[in-house]
Amino acid sequence: MKFGILVNEGPYNHQATDSAYQFAKAAIEKGHTVPRVFFYHDGVYNSTKLTEPPQDDRNIVARWSKLAEDHKVDLVVCVAAGLRRGIKDEVLAPGFRISGLGQLVEAGIQYDRLVTFGD
Amino acid sequence: MDDETEGVVKKFMFLNRKAPYGTIYALESLEVVLISAAFDQDVSLAFVDDGVYQIVKGQHTKGIDQKNFSPTYRALEGYDIEKLYVEKESLEARGLTEEDLLVDVQVMDSAAMANIMAEQDVVISF
């Protein structure tokens, strides 16, 4: 099955980002594919390479980048939500790209399921 | 739009559960709704819980220095988005009636709302 994922919350602030990652990882391990994760609202903060968590904590941003690299996951950050919050091309971690909300709607049309993580 | 998307029509429901101000969810939800209109999908909106406040008449936002985006809901018709569902219990719990709303909607109880949600291909909840 093809899963699209929508992440609506910022990293470290909310369980949603961790749950979304764990879900994506588990789905891929079970043989499904996750062609795209879309980051919206404060979810756009998942994409910035300026993130520096303490060393004994998980690195949420780096974790997404690795998932993208290992499994060809398209990590899309909403341009409008990003601009509002200072997320631009120059701060993106590897594997992320900025695009429009059409990418979210397209994921809903093309994939078997679209799963939302957020409040 | 690529080949995989062309000609596919799915039932998209945008589920609005939060008050219009206080958080950005309602405003950013509306942005997705407007974009979805460009994809020629079967789009509907549902308002439940505090989400019913999004379409209440007479919103004045000057005092909180925020944009009053409620007129946008009136413009949805122009995008061929005409299916707006409101949960009866959520309205009643807030002392509201259909007359308090700024757009034409279908009010239905939670069981009917559940049925409509079950018919959807994609439910995006904000």
Side-chain angles (χ1 to χ4, degrees):
Chain A
M1 200 176 261
K2 283 186 188 174
F3 286 100
I5 292 178
L6 169 61
V7 179
N8 285 335
E9 307 291 344
Y12 303 102
N13 199 53
H14 201 291
Q15 174 66 32
T17 63
D18 290 277
S19 297
Y21 170 77
Q22 302 295 352
F23 179 90
K25 205 165 150 265
I28 291 166
E29 277 164 12
K30 293 263 182 198
H32 303 290
T33 57
V34 180
R36 180 174 298 154
V37 180
F38 193 89
F39 298 90
Y40 199 37
H41 304 303
D42 276 0
V44 300
Y45 290 124
N46 279 272
S47 70
T48 164
K49 67 182 177 191
L50 301 177
T51 303
E52 280 183 42
Q55 284 197 345
D56 59 352
D57 197 358
R58 69 224 187 277
N59 188 324
I60 292 178
V61 177
R63 221 165 51 171
W64 283 121
S65 291
K66 186 164 189 317
L67 192 77
E69 196 190 335
D70 292 350
H71 302 286
K72 294 192 176 64
V73 183
D74 185 20
L75 304 176
V76 182
V77 180
C78 170
V79 59
L83 284 176
R84 262 188 196 118
R85 296 166 174 85
I87 302 295
K88 298 178 170 186
D89 277 329
E90 50 264 47
V91 303
L92 290 185
F96 289 90
R97 68 183 176 102
I98 289 179
S99 190
L101 286 164
Q103 301 285 303
L104 169 62
V105 179
E106 200 181 80
I109 298 169
Q110 290 180 358
Y111 309 153
D112 301 300
R113 295 284 187 279
L114 181 66
V115 187
T116 304
F117 291 87
D119 256 352
Chain B
M1 240 180 271
D2 58 28
D3 294 345
E4 244 185 290
T5 309
E6 215 174 308
V8 180
V9 179
K10 284 194 177 178
K11 288 167 94 75
F12 270 75
M13 172 176 275
F14 293 93
L15 177 59
N16 301 290
R17 314 180 64 106
K18 295 187 174 67
Y21 310 102
T23 69
I24 200 167
Y25 295 102
L27 174 64
E28 286 191 338
S29 167
L30 205 45
E31 289 179 1
V32 191
V33 170
L34 295 174
I35 296 287
S36 74
F39 283 78
D40 296 324
Q41 300 298 299
D42 181 355
V43 175
S44 62
L45 272 64
F47 298 89
V48 300
D49 302 336
D50 278 351
V52 300
Y53 288 125
Q54 293 180 23
I55 48 172
V56 158
K57 276 180 198 162
Q59 298 181 27
H60 299 287
T61 56
K62 228 177 170 170
I64 55 168
D65 191 24
Q66 288 190 29
K67 182 174 153 188
N68 178 358
F69 56 88
S70 64
T72 315
Y73 294 101
R74 279 220 186 94
L76 291 177
E77 230 180 336
Y79 291 87
D80 289 327
I81 298 172
E82 288 162 350
K83 281 178 278 189
L84 278 64
Y85 308 117
V86 176
E87 193 199 46
K88 187 169 167 272
E89 289 85 344
S90 299
L91 273 184
E92 284 173 355
R94 288 159 185 81
L96 297 168
T97 68
E98 208 173 327
E99 283 71 51
D100 296 310
L101 306 179
L102 52 82
V103 277
D104 288 334
V105 299
Q106 294 179 53
V107 177
M108 54 183 64
D109 63 24
S110 58
M113 188 68 97
N115 287 337
I116 276 207
M117 285 174 70
E119 287 171 9
Q120 304 298 314
D121 297 307
V122 182
V123 178
I124 300 181
S125 172
F126 291 120

